[in-house]
Amino acid sequence: MTMTLKTGAMIGFLTVAAGEARADLWIETFDADAQQRWSYVQDGVMGGVSEGDLTFEEADGASFARLKGRVSTDNNGGFIQFRAGIRGGLPSETAGLRLRVKGNGESYYVFIRTTDRKRPWHSYRASFTATEDWRVVDLDLASFTASHAELPQTFTPENITGIGFVAYGRDFDADLLVSDLGLVMAQ
Protein backbone atom coordinates (compact mmCIF):
# COMPACT_ATOMS: atom_id res chain seq x y z
CA MET A 1 0.00 0.00 0.00
CA THR A 2 1.26 3.47 -0.87
CA MET A 3 -0.59 6.68 -0.01
CA THR A 4 0.87 9.97 -1.24
CA LEU A 5 0.34 13.48 0.13
CA LYS A 6 1.66 16.36 -1.98
CA THR A 7 0.42 19.31 0.10
CA GLY A 8 -1.57 19.74 3.23
CA ALA A 9 -2.44 21.61 6.34
CA MET A 10 -2.42 20.05 9.78
CA ILE A 11 -4.92 17.23 9.29
CA GLY A 12 -4.50 15.07 12.35
CA PHE A 13 -3.29 14.72 15.88
CA LEU A 14 -1.34 12.17 17.87
CA THR A 15 -2.68 11.39 21.31
CA VAL A 16 -0.83 9.82 24.22
CA ALA A 17 -3.24 8.32 26.72
CA ALA A 18 -2.64 9.15 30.37
CA GLY A 19 -1.14 6.29 32.32
CA GLU A 20 0.44 4.66 29.27
CA ALA A 21 3.87 6.22 29.74
CA ARG A 22 6.70 3.68 29.81
CA ALA A 23 10.20 3.52 28.36
CA ASP A 24 9.21 1.67 25.20
CA LEU A 25 6.02 3.55 24.33
CA TRP A 26 5.67 3.86 20.58
CA ILE A 27 3.13 6.61 19.89
CA GLU A 28 3.18 6.23 16.09
CA THR A 29 3.89 3.17 13.94
CA PHE A 30 2.64 4.67 10.64
CA ASP A 31 0.11 1.92 10.03
CA ALA A 32 -3.67 2.33 9.99
CA ASP A 33 -4.79 5.77 8.87
CA ALA A 34 -1.41 7.51 9.32
CA GLN A 35 -2.31 9.82 6.43
CA GLN A 36 -5.06 11.25 8.63
CA ARG A 37 -2.56 12.22 11.36
CA TRP A 38 0.38 13.49 9.29
CA SER A 39 0.60 16.26 6.70
CA TYR A 40 3.19 17.30 4.16
CA VAL A 41 4.40 20.92 3.97
CA GLN A 42 7.11 22.50 1.84
CA ASP A 43 8.68 25.93 1.61
CA GLY A 44 6.34 26.89 -1.25
CA VAL A 45 4.02 28.24 1.44
CA MET A 46 6.64 31.02 1.82
CA GLY A 47 7.73 31.35 -1.83
CA GLY A 48 10.44 28.66 -1.82
CA VAL A 49 10.92 26.14 -4.61
CA SER A 50 11.68 22.87 -2.80
CA GLU A 51 9.66 19.91 -4.09
CA GLY A 52 8.76 16.56 -2.65
CA ASP A 53 6.06 14.35 -1.29
CA LEU A 54 5.08 12.17 1.63
CA THR A 55 4.09 8.55 1.06
CA PHE A 56 2.89 5.91 3.48
CA GLU A 57 4.27 2.53 2.49
CA GLU A 58 4.66 -1.07 3.62
CA ALA A 59 7.62 -3.35 2.94
CA ASP A 60 8.88 -6.52 4.61
CA GLY A 61 6.01 -6.41 7.11
CA ALA A 62 6.75 -2.86 8.29
CA SER A 63 4.75 0.32 7.75
CA PHE A 64 6.54 3.63 7.37
CA ALA A 65 6.28 7.23 6.24
CA ARG A 66 8.64 8.31 3.46
CA LEU A 67 9.64 11.93 2.85
CA LYS A 68 11.31 12.28 -0.51
CA GLY A 69 12.22 15.26 -2.65
CA ARG A 70 14.66 18.03 -3.51
CA VAL A 71 15.41 20.72 -0.92
CA SER A 72 16.40 24.04 -2.48
CA THR A 73 17.51 27.22 -0.73
CA ASP A 74 16.62 29.27 -3.83
CA ASN A 75 14.08 32.06 -3.33
CA ASN A 76 14.50 32.01 0.49
CA GLY A 77 13.42 28.36 0.65
CA GLY A 78 15.03 25.35 2.19
CA PHE A 79 12.67 22.70 3.59
CA ILE A 80 10.24 19.86 3.05
CA GLN A 81 8.61 18.20 6.02
CA PHE A 82 5.83 16.08 7.42
CA ARG A 83 4.24 16.86 10.76
CA ALA A 84 1.43 16.07 13.15
CA GLY A 85 -0.18 17.90 16.02
CA ILE A 86 -0.01 16.61 19.60
CA ARG A 87 -3.20 16.86 21.63
CA GLY A 88 -2.68 17.52 25.32
CA GLY A 89 1.14 17.53 25.16
CA LEU A 90 3.36 14.64 26.20
CA PRO A 91 3.63 13.11 29.69
CA SER A 92 5.77 15.17 32.09
CA GLU A 93 8.13 12.18 32.50
CA THR A 94 9.10 12.32 28.81
CA ALA A 95 12.88 12.75 28.56
CA GLY A 96 13.26 12.24 24.81
CA LEU A 97 11.98 10.95 21.50
CA ARG A 98 12.85 7.57 20.03
CA LEU A 99 12.84 7.21 16.23
CA ARG A 100 13.28 4.20 14.00
CA VAL A 101 14.65 5.64 10.76
CA LYS A 102 16.40 4.84 7.51
CA GLY A 103 17.50 7.02 4.63
CA ASN A 104 20.14 8.13 2.18
CA GLY A 105 22.88 9.02 4.67
CA GLU A 106 21.84 12.67 5.01
CA SER A 107 21.17 14.67 8.17
CA TYR A 108 17.55 15.46 8.98
CA TYR A 109 15.76 17.26 11.81
CA VAL A 110 12.93 16.80 14.24
CA PHE A 111 11.15 20.10 14.85
CA ILE A 112 9.03 20.40 17.99
CA ARG A 113 6.34 23.06 18.28
CA THR A 114 5.18 24.23 21.69
CA THR A 115 2.65 26.56 23.27
CA ASP A 116 5.51 29.12 23.52
CA ARG A 117 5.58 29.55 19.74
CA LYS A 118 4.84 33.12 18.66
CA ARG A 119 5.31 32.69 14.90
CA PRO A 120 4.44 29.75 12.60
CA TRP A 121 8.15 29.08 11.90
CA HIS A 122 9.20 28.94 15.58
CA SER A 123 10.31 25.52 16.81
CA TYR A 124 12.86 23.58 18.83
CA ARG A 125 15.20 21.49 16.68
CA ALA A 126 17.49 18.48 16.91
CA SER A 127 19.27 16.68 14.09
CA PHE A 128 19.99 13.04 13.29
CA THR A 129 21.47 11.07 10.42
CA ALA A 130 19.35 8.55 8.52
CA THR A 131 21.67 5.73 7.43
CA GLU A 132 20.99 3.15 4.72
CA ASP A 133 19.95 0.57 7.33
CA TRP A 134 17.10 0.83 9.82
CA ARG A 135 18.31 2.12 13.18
CA VAL A 136 16.89 3.52 16.41
CA VAL A 137 17.83 7.09 17.31
CA ASP A 138 17.14 8.66 20.72
CA LEU A 139 16.92 12.46 20.90
CA ASP A 140 16.96 13.93 24.43
CA LEU A 141 14.48 16.78 24.77
CA ALA A 142 17.30 18.77 26.44
CA SER A 143 19.29 18.58 23.16
CA PHE A 144 16.65 20.51 21.18
CA THR A 145 17.58 24.15 20.55
CA ALA A 146 15.28 27.12 20.03
CA SER A 147 15.08 28.33 16.44
CA HIS A 148 14.71 31.98 17.40
CA ALA A 149 15.71 34.25 20.30
CA GLU A 150 12.03 35.05 20.93
CA LEU A 151 11.51 31.50 22.27
CA PRO A 152 12.45 30.41 25.79
CA GLN A 153 15.63 28.29 25.68
CA THR A 154 13.85 25.27 27.22
CA PHE A 155 10.38 23.75 27.11
CA THR A 156 8.38 21.15 29.00
CA PRO A 157 6.91 17.99 27.44
CA GLU A 158 3.42 19.03 28.49
CA ASN A 159 3.70 22.13 26.26
CA ILE A 160 4.49 20.23 23.04
CA THR A 161 1.83 20.84 20.38
CA GLY A 162 3.45 19.27 17.32
CA ILE A 163 6.29 17.17 15.92
CA GLY A 164 7.75 17.35 12.42
CA PHE A 165 10.36 15.41 10.46
CA VAL A 166 12.24 17.89 8.29
CA ALA A 167 14.74 17.95 5.44
CA TYR A 168 16.13 21.43 5.98
CA GLY A 169 18.63 24.18 5.45
CA ARG A 170 20.74 23.26 2.44
CA ASP A 171 20.43 22.08 -1.18
CA PHE A 172 20.15 18.27 -1.27
CA ASP A 173 18.07 15.26 -2.30
CA ALA A 174 16.04 13.99 0.63
CA ASP A 175 14.90 10.41 1.20
CA LEU A 176 13.85 9.76 4.81
CA LEU A 177 11.88 6.73 6.03
CA VAL A 178 10.37 6.70 9.55
CA SER A 179 8.71 3.53 10.80
CA ASP A 180 8.22 4.40 14.47
CA LEU A 181 8.07 7.38 16.79
CA GLY A 182 8.26 6.75 20.52
CA LEU A 183 8.94 8.31 23.88
CA VAL A 184 11.94 7.84 26.16
CA MET A 185 10.82 8.23 29.75
CA ALA A 186 12.90 9.59 32.64
CA GLN A 187 14.08 6.87 34.98
Side-chain angles (χ1 to χ4, degrees):
M1 171 198 83
T2 299
M3 165 72 179
T4 303
L5 294 177
K6 285 285 195 183
T7 61
M10 192 63 67
I11 56 175
F13 290 90
L14 300 176
T15 305
V16 180
E20 287 189 24
R22 61 184 193 278
D24 61 348
L25 177 66
W26 295 104
I27 62 172
E28 177 64 83
T29 57
F30 296 99
D31 49 11
D33 302 321
Q35 70 275 5
Q36 294 179 18
R37 295 182 296 277
W38 294 89
S39 61
Y40 172 80
V41 180
Q42 66 189 42
D43 57 19
V45 300
M46 301 175 345
V49 296
S50 298
E51 295 181 345
D53 61 28
L54 170 64
T55 58
F56 297 93
E57 303 177 21
E58 291 180 20
D60 301 322
S63 300
F64 55 89
R66 185 175 204 166
L67 178 67
K68 191 169 184 175
R70 176 78 186 145
V71 179
S72 172
T73 56
D74 290 346
N75 206 32
N76 296 316
F79 75 88
I80 60 174
Q81 72 172 303
F82 67 102
R83 64 188 185 195
I86 303 286
R87 269 207 181 106
L90 296 178
S92 61
E93 302 84 12
T94 304
L97 299 178
R98 178 164 290 157
L99 324 171
R100 188 171 294 133
V101 297
K102 176 178 167 175
N104 59 348
E106 296 285 351
S107 292
Y108 296 92
Y109 289 84
V110 172
F111 284 11
I112 291 177
R113 292 175 162 208
T114 70
T115 56
D116 294 318
R117 184 172 68 105
K118 294 176 178 41
R119 305 265 190 259
W121 52 86
H122 285 176
S123 63
Y124 294 88
R125 301 166 178 187
S127 67
F128 64 94
T129 300
T131 60
E132 293 182 8
D133 296 314
W134 287 107
R135 71 183 194 121
V136 173
V137 175
D138 286 348
L139 299 173
D140 292 334
L141 293 185
S143 72
F144 283 75
T145 58
S147 63
H148 292 80
E150 296 175 56
L151 286 171
Q153 292 306 299
T154 61
F155 60 92
T156 62
E158 303 94 330
N159 289 342
I160 294 174
T161 61
I163 295 176
F165 292 91
V166 189
Y168 170 74
R170 65 193 193 294
D171 297 324
F172 73 106
D173 291 320
D175 191 6
L176 171 65
L177 290 70
V178 182
S179 68
D180 298 283
L181 168 62
L183 305 180
V184 177
M185 309 309 288
Q187 299 299 323

